[in-house]
Amino acid sequence: MEGFAIVTGASSGIGEAIARRLLDSGCNVIALQRRPPRFRHDRLQHHKVDLADAAAAQAIARTIAATHQVRYLVNNAGVNRPGVLEKATVEDLDYALALNVRAAMILIQAFSPGMRAAKFGRIVNISSRAALGKTQRTVYSAAKAGLIGMTRTLCLELGADGITVNAVAPGPIATELFDHGHPPGSDKRQQVIDSIPVKRVGTPDDVARVVAFLLAPESGYITGQTIFVCGGTSVSGSGGA
Ligand code: NDP
């Protein structure tokens, strides 16, 4: 894979697994998030940025676009602040949209001109199976569903220039975030597992594998799609993160 791949939120969980997998396949990876990656690699760079800050996101994206041939973009950074409707705040909604949706748009705006010029680009947005609806996810599901809408629109606008735009919607994935809310061995974790058709929680690499597939140059006939990597929870309509 020639050119650079941007992965947002590569300091933990799913983003880290995506970055590792891309590095293993020979890619040059630029990680964008607040904390440095937890590992080092010759082909891994990190730029510290709070992607919920629009001006900061635009500034770093412009700098990288001017100096690197970015051909792959994975918008993975995200946050979930669960709560019932009565507890949802305007601030939570603004923040979720800023990080999950606005940052993705900013990065796509910055890197798509270079992809258009090269007549090649691969964009993957990390949504969630919660986009289909899940209790206590008023804010989160709105943001993640927004990302699917943006994916479908941009597939139409960018396809003629060889750029594909897809979404990956994970279900419960055993990241630190999930383990914190569902400690291994807890009843709460077991309840989630029981609700998943394949009877296990997913791994970050379950998601990274699908992202790598969609980023591959050979995957150019798949665009505008949302691939659920959720152990079947999007079908059963229960459980999940
Ligand atoms: P983690 O909390 O482990 O990772 C989130 C990543 O996002 C971190 O690297 C974090 O980096 C980055 N991030 C958070 N806030 C910001 C910010 N303001 N600016 C820049 N980067 C930020 O979560 P997961 O790996 O579990 O989640 C990754 C994606 O997958 C998210 O979009 C999430 O919504 C989605 N997802 C996860 C599921 C799961 O079960 N785990 C299920 C469905 C979807 P840092 O703190 O260093 O800034």
Side-chain angles (χ1 to χ4, degrees):
M1 290 163 71
E2 291 183 8
F4 286 81
I6 302 279
V7 180
T8 70
S11 56
S12 63
I14 294 169
E16 180 179 307
I18 294 168
R20 284 182 185 276
R21 186 164 273 271
L22 294 180
L23 288 163
D24 285 349
S25 68
C27 212
N28 296 292
V29 175
I30 302 174
L32 297 183
Q33 70 271 333
R34 297 165 301 182
R35 293 169 295 164
R38 295 187 292 193
F39 67 101
R40 289 173 182 273
H41 193 288
D42 288 349
R43 283 180 275 101
L44 175 64
Q45 303 178 35
H46 169 236
H47 294 269
K48 180 179 176 179
V49 59
D50 179 353
L51 291 170
D53 177 338
Q58 280 168 330
I60 194 70
R62 284 190 194 124
T63 300
I64 294 171
T67 50
H68 295 76
Q69 297 190 336
V70 174
R71 300 289 176 262
Y72 307 90
L73 170 61
V74 183
N75 289 304
N76 163 78
V79 68
N80 178 12
R81 293 176 179 170
V84 293
L85 174 64
E86 293 74 15
K87 296 263 173 71
T89 66
V90 168
E91 290 73 24
D92 280 346
L93 181 65
D94 285 348
Y95 189 77
L97 292 173
L99 182 56
N100 290 284
V101 181
R102 189 176 67 196
M105 186 187 81
I106 286 170
L107 298 190
I108 295 168
Q109 282 178 328
F111 298 120
S112 56
M115 294 179 187
R116 280 190 197 273
K119 294 284 178 200
F120 175 83
R122 295 279 181 269
I123 298 169
V124 174
N125 298 318
I126 304 298
S127 177
S128 167
R129 77 118 209 154
L132 297 176
K134 178 166 170 55
T135 56
Q136 301 191 32
R137 300 295 192 281
T138 298
V139 162
Y140 186 65
S141 63
K144 292 303 193 182
L147 215 37
I148 291 175
M150 186 186 294
T151 296
R152 292 170 62 90
T153 293
L154 294 180
C155 119
L156 302 174
E157 293 195 14
L158 301 177
D161 285 319
I163 303 168
T164 64
V165 190
N166 290 289
V168 169
I173 303 296
T175 59
E176 284 167 26
L177 192 69
F178 181 83
D179 287 347
H180 182 70
H182 307 78
S186 66
D187 289 348
K188 197 175 171 193
R189 191 183 185 95
Q190 193 56 47
Q191 282 168 10
V192 172
I193 291 171
D194 289 344
S195 72
I196 302 171
V198 302
K199 303 303 175 197
R200 71 169 175 88
V201 181
T203 66
D205 212 43
D206 283 326
V207 181
R209 197 174 301 116
V210 176
V211 172
F213 167 74
L214 292 170
L215 293 179
E218 298 78 16
S219 297
Y221 206 53
I222 307 170
T223 191
Q225 305 304 306
T226 299
I227 313 274
F228 288 84
V229 183
C230 64
T233 52
S234 59
V235 178
S236 70
S238 60

